[in-house]
Amino acid sequence: MEQVERLLKRTLPFQVVSPETLDGIAEISRHEVFKAGQVIYGAGQPAEEVYVLVSGRVAHRIDPDIKARVHEKELQVGDVFGWAAILEGEKVRLADVACIEAAEVLKIDGARLLELLRKDVNFGEAALKSFSQLISQQYYLPPSVSERVPTTLSKVGDTRTPASNEAEPQTASAWTLTMYRASAWLKSPDPYLMMVGFALMLGFWYLTVEVLKLPRFEDLPGLTTVVKEWFAEDPVYGMSIYTAEYYQHIWVSIRRVAIAFLLATVLGVPLGLFLGWSRSFREYVFPVFELLRPIPILAWVPLAIIMFSGSETPVIFLTFLASFFATALNTMLGVESIDESYTRAAACLGANRWQVFKEVIVPGSMPYVFTGLQISVGVAWFSLVAGEMVSGQYGLGYVINTSYTMVRYPTIIIGMVTLGIVGYTTSAMVRVAGNYMMQWRLREMALGGR
Amino acid sequence: MNMKKIRRSLFSRTTLRAIVSITVFLILWEAGSRSKEWAGFTMPWIGLVPPPTSVLAVWWDLLGDTGYWQSWYLSLMRVLSGFVAAMVIGIPLGLLMAVSRTFNSITFPSFEILRPIPPLAWVPVAIIFWPTEELSIAFVTFLGAFFTVVINVLGGARSIDMRFYQSAQAMGSSQWDIFKRIVLPATVPSIVVGSSVGMGITWNVVVAAEMISGGGGGGGSGGGLGFFIWNSYVGGSYEQIVIGMISIGIAGYACSELLRGIGGFFTPWLRTR
């Protein structure tokens, strides 16, 4: 029994199933021995059982009428065959299988196997998926066959087993995974400790400012005042989620950051690529870049006001400047991070300088570019606030500063929290976009075993 | 031998090109600023910036002015007080979050909620809360470095290879030994990185805080470099704005380099790489 389980564990589809399912499968498998030259089954016969080869050599010849890329195959120990027994639709053998030398096999009843996999809520799905992978990758059969494996558990319904129908039919595996993760997270102490943390923070604010009225603290706007003001239809200090003004300020800030960020990306990424790519270009340009970089962005404020007319352009310029340095520098580091053997290999294969740039430098530096863009959004908000506080009309930084001078203290906090939310959202957007576009790299790292 | 090396690097192509590039930059700046005089029209943007020669002339006069050096001193003191506070509070907090899962689960979400708020947005609240402007500027400077330091310490501790813990536990280490021999040394490099990044942010913040809050208690000529810039702007002395910018650049750069040097002393195993 244990031996059977160990053997099953070595096969592709049953590697993943849970121990209970494995027990069940081992229970329903029967051991059988065939002599050399004996036919195990022939094409066209009814298919009832799935086979696992335990020892010996077996020839597998797929019916020539079925379009497979390779028709003949010698099976190895641990190979699974006879999977026609779990396909949907007509369960008919698709191949002739005969022993080249004496062979031992495990026979597993197809209908009962499906029933077992169906009960395995967590892993049955994956086992069925690897069945269809097996069919297309090891038996070289077209998708028309591999798709007949009941990939979702609900389709297994046609085996009509009365047992255990309580489990809801699962329709989407991504959804299942999300729900599984959510329930695992809820079972861990994390969410409750997080609540404790929030409660402590807000409680500290509420107690010190509004209940105990400690010296210094009592000057600050209290928790309840801020929340009331924020969600009031008729706010005392003129700004809440019901006033158009609130959204106007948010919109103006977002617009400024967006313009500056796009401009910085459009100019900074090419500059960084060239800085990393061409040595002489870097030696001529980088010193000036390094000369200007240590100057804090905010020290540019008065100069920006002098250089650019109006109140809008200086703020955008400051925001742009911060993003630009971050983007260009990270792109340059990205180019430098590329292993030199790639450029050499490309050159050996006859790529010219432009081709090396296009095929090696640009894609190779992308992970760093996205890191740079994440930093760039962060510093954009940082300098936007400073720019808006010092000069400019509208915008969240402006709200915070004017609310201070006009003694509308709760509005200051509303502005700060809104700024945090909006800033976090934009950073998250850049991060998600970056992760999505950098999937190839993650996959590469996973394949490399890192 | 060593002199030879220095001489070679001094007269190398890289240095030459750097000199050429900076000279061209300065000439373009000079020409652009004086475009009114030789071309008859003001070039956009650059035409409104004072030329480098007059900046240098004004700077030369300023070098003997105690008010100017007083601004350096005041800004540096504010940066240092905020920065030291951020290190003293941030490093233990980061380590505690790295070591205790429960503590991490309690504090990290709240921390992540406060982090996206830019430090400068705290300026008005800081002014309301702290009794003196000096303290409120120091508080905002502290915030600027604090989040960066904590995140870096935490990131450094999280990137420690699991196998180090496992082998230490297998050989019977106590919790304290694991902390002292694994967590602490492994996080030192990221503490160094975090503090030099934090130093950069600190200078940024101090300038802005000085501009917004109006220079602290020093009054007229002695309110820090940020106030020096703002005052020059209000007074219409555009050369002094540029001088202020360059001074802050030098100060910030020197502080970061100093930190990197100190960091190198604490992480000798990274030097050979």
Side-chain angles (χ1 to χ4, degrees):
Chain A
M1 190 71 180
E2 226 172 77
Q3 216 177 345
V4 172
E5 272 183 36
R6 218 176 302 144
L7 189 88
L8 286 174
K9 198 83 190 150
R10 287 223 308 266
T11 66
L12 185 65
F14 304 128
Q15 258 170 20
V16 292
V17 298
S18 67
E20 297 80 48
T21 315
L22 204 64
D23 279 344
I25 297 173
E27 245 165 63
I28 60 168
S29 20
R30 283 180 298 119
H31 200 261
E32 208 168 317
V33 182
F34 291 89
K35 279 184 237 130
Q38 202 178 348
V39 173
I40 300 179
Y41 58 76
Q45 291 174 355
E48 278 161 6
E49 279 137 341
V50 176
Y51 292 79
V52 178
L53 186 59
V54 181
S55 74
R57 289 163 65 204
V58 166
H60 187 275
R61 196 178 304 112
I62 294 169
D63 191 351
D65 292 343
I66 296 166
K67 287 198 183 66
R69 273 193 295 128
V70 178
H71 280 94
E72 291 192 31
K73 184 177 159 69
E74 191 185 311
L75 300 183
Q76 308 290 320
V77 171
D79 273 349
V80 173
F81 59 103
W83 31 257
I86 60 158
L87 291 187
E88 288 185 310
E90 211 185 356
K91 292 190 190 340
V92 176
R93 292 294 176 204
L94 304 173
D96 296 313
V97 180
C99 301
I100 302 172
E101 50 184 54
E104 287 174 79
V105 296
L106 285 180
K107 285 170 85 172
I108 306 163
D109 185 77
R112 288 171 71 186
L113 174 64
L114 277 180
E115 191 185 316
L116 281 171
L117 291 181
R118 188 192 186 190
K119 274 190 211 157
D120 190 345
V121 180
N122 293 330
F123 304 107
E125 178 94 33
L128 286 171
K129 268 215 177 106
S130 53
F131 259 113
S132 78
Q133 247 171 35
L134 178 91
I135 292 168
S136 62
Q137 285 169 13
Q138 288 189 7
Y139 292 94
Y140 306 106
L141 284 161
S144 60
V145 177
S146 60
E147 274 165 11
R148 278 171 62 199
V149 172
T151 44
T152 56
L153 293 172
S154 61
K155 281 197 198 161
V156 188
D158 62 0
T159 51
R160 277 184 219 99
T161 46
S164 79
N165 274 331
E166 286 159 34
E168 286 262 304
Q170 312 279 324
T171 44
S173 64
W175 173 244
T176 321
L177 194 64
T178 319
M179 287 312 290
Y180 174 73
R181 277 189 193 141
S183 81
W185 185 68
L186 281 176
K187 276 174 202 153
S188 76
D190 286 354
Y192 311 105
L193 291 175
M194 182 176 92
M195 291 300 157
V196 171
F198 289 156
L200 282 178
M201 182 175 72
L202 296 177
F204 177 77
W205 182 11
Y206 179 68
L207 281 178
T208 50
V209 177
E210 284 172 311
V211 179
L212 302 174
K213 292 189 193 294
L214 295 178
R216 305 301 321 166
F217 281 100
E218 62 179 338
D219 299 338
L220 296 173
L223 173 64
T224 50
T225 326
V226 171
V227 172
K228 265 184 210 149
E229 175 77 7
W230 201 1
F231 297 101
E233 279 186 51
D234 185 23
V236 185
Y237 300 100
M239 209 174 86
S240 76
I241 56 165
Y242 292 101
T243 57
E245 204 191 339
Y246 179 58
Y247 298 101
Q248 193 183 1
H249 287 302
I250 296 178
W251 162 244
V252 168
S253 285
I254 290 181
R255 203 181 75 103
R256 283 172 183 158
V257 166
I259 293 174
F261 177 72
L262 285 180
L263 212 61
T265 309
V266 168
L267 295 176
V269 171
L271 179 74
L273 287 174
F274 284 125
L275 280 175
W277 179 49
S278 156
R279 203 190 136 107
S280 47
F281 184 73
R282 180 171 62 224
E283 284 177 349
Y284 280 124
V285 175
F286 199 54
V288 175
F289 191 83
E290 280 297 276
L291 203 66
L292 296 179
R293 208 167 55 92
I295 300 175
I297 300 304
L298 305 174
W300 287 85
V301 171
L303 204 65
I305 300 174
I306 297 170
M307 282 164 75
F308 301 96
S309 50
S311 64
E312 192 72 10
T313 348
V315 178
I316 293 180
F317 172 73
L318 287 173
T319 316
F320 157 77
L321 210 59
S323 293
F324 176 72
F325 283 127
T327 309
L329 197 70
N330 271 283
T331 310
M332 192 185 91
L333 291 179
V335 178
E336 280 174 356
S337 78
I338 298 171
D339 191 340
E340 226 195 315
S341 41
Y342 287 117
T343 39
R344 284 195 192 145
C348 279
L349 293 170
N352 59 29
R353 247 173 106 67
W354 166 243
Q355 281 170 324
V356 170
F357 181 74
K358 204 177 65 175
E359 305 290 339
V360 179
I361 305 286
V362 173
S365 56
M366 278 304 139
Y368 275 76
V369 171
F370 277 101
T371 316
L373 292 185
Q374 272 178 48
I375 300 174
S376 153
V377 185
V379 292
W381 281 103
F382 177 87
S383 36
L384 176 89
V385 173
E388 283 179 346
M389 283 176 99
V390 178
S391 81
Q393 289 161 357
Y394 298 111
L396 291 166
Y398 172 80
V399 167
I400 293 173
N401 205 32
T402 39
S403 306
Y404 168 65
T405 46
M406 300 176 78
V407 205
R408 297 170 180 163
Y409 290 171
T411 315
I412 298 178
I413 308 286
I414 296 177
M416 284 170 66
V417 177
T418 312
L419 203 55
I421 296 170
V422 180
Y424 180 80
T425 314
T426 48
S427 307
M429 272 159 61
V430 173
R431 194 172 58 233
V432 168
N435 287 347
Y436 181 73
M437 287 166 83
M438 289 298 110
Q439 275 177 356
W440 59 269
R441 185 159 175 268
L442 274 184
R443 240 177 258 139
E444 210 165 64
M445 281 165 77
L447 287 177
R450 271 178 285 164
Chain B
M1 187 59 204
N2 220 355
M3 276 309 287
K4 223 179 199 174
K5 229 183 207 169
I6 291 172
R7 200 172 302 158
R8 202 184 299 151
S9 77
L10 213 59
F11 294 103
S12 71
R13 205 178 55 174
T14 316
T15 328
L16 208 72
R17 286 182 169 178
I19 293 169
V20 169
S21 120
I22 291 173
T23 315
V24 169
F25 171 73
L26 288 177
I27 290 174
L28 283 180
W29 175 8
E30 180 82 31
S33 307
R34 295 194 185 278
S35 54
K36 182 98 180 146
E37 294 164 30
W38 57 270
F41 69 93
T42 315
M43 273 173 83
W45 308 339
I46 187 76
L48 302 166
V49 180
T53 43
S54 59
V55 169
L56 266 184
V58 175
W59 205 350
W60 183 252
D61 295 338
L62 262 183
L63 284 180
D65 184 36
T66 44
Y68 170 66
W69 294 110
Q70 179 78 4
S71 315
W72 271 76
Y73 173 76
L74 280 174
S75 287
L76 190 67
M77 278 301 129
R78 285 175 190 145
V79 164
L80 278 186
S81 57
F83 180 75
V84 168
M87 298 287 277
V88 168
I89 301 175
I91 295 175
L93 186 75
L95 287 174
L96 198 58
M97 281 162 95
V99 171
S100 159
R101 219 194 122 140
T102 314
F103 185 72
N104 185 52
S105 302
I106 292 177
T107 46
F108 192 66
S110 309
F111 182 80
E112 281 296 282
I113 282 188
L114 294 178
R115 197 161 67 96
I117 301 174
L120 292 174
W122 289 89
V123 170
V125 176
I127 296 175
I128 298 170
F129 180 72
W130 295 98
T132 67
E133 289 217 320
E134 204 56 45
L135 275 175
S136 51
I137 294 178
F139 174 72
V140 178
T141 337
F142 156 79
L143 278 181
F146 174 70
F147 290 110
T148 317
V149 170
V150 173
I151 280 293
N152 267 283
V153 173
L154 201 56
R158 278 187 183 158
S159 63
I160 299 173
D161 194 331
M162 225 17 226
R163 284 170 291 185
F164 289 161
Y165 292 118
Q166 286 165 347
S167 40
Q169 270 166 351
M171 287 185 276
S173 301
S174 65
Q175 281 288 318
W176 170 244
D177 278 335
I178 289 179
F179 176 76
K180 199 176 63 180
R181 297 290 180 86
I182 298 176
V183 179
L184 211 51
T187 44
V188 171
S190 34
I191 291 176
V192 172
V193 172
S195 58
S196 70
V197 175
M199 186 50 108
I201 300 176
T202 310
W203 273 101
N204 248 309
V205 172
V206 97
V207 173
E210 284 172 355
M211 283 185 188
I212 295 165
S213 71
S221 61
L225 285 169
F227 186 65
F228 176 79
I229 294 179
W230 191 247
N231 219 17
S232 313
Y233 166 68
V234 175
S237 166
Y238 292 173
E239 282 85 1
Q240 285 196 12
I241 297 178
V242 180
I243 293 169
M245 285 169 66
I246 299 173
S247 308
I248 294 168
I250 294 171
Y253 186 76
C255 285
S256 294
E257 280 303 299
L258 191 71
L259 267 183
R260 232 163 266 147
I262 296 172
F265 178 76
F266 281 114
T267 53
W269 63 92
L270 292 179
R271 240 180 274 163
T272 46
R273 274 188 219 160

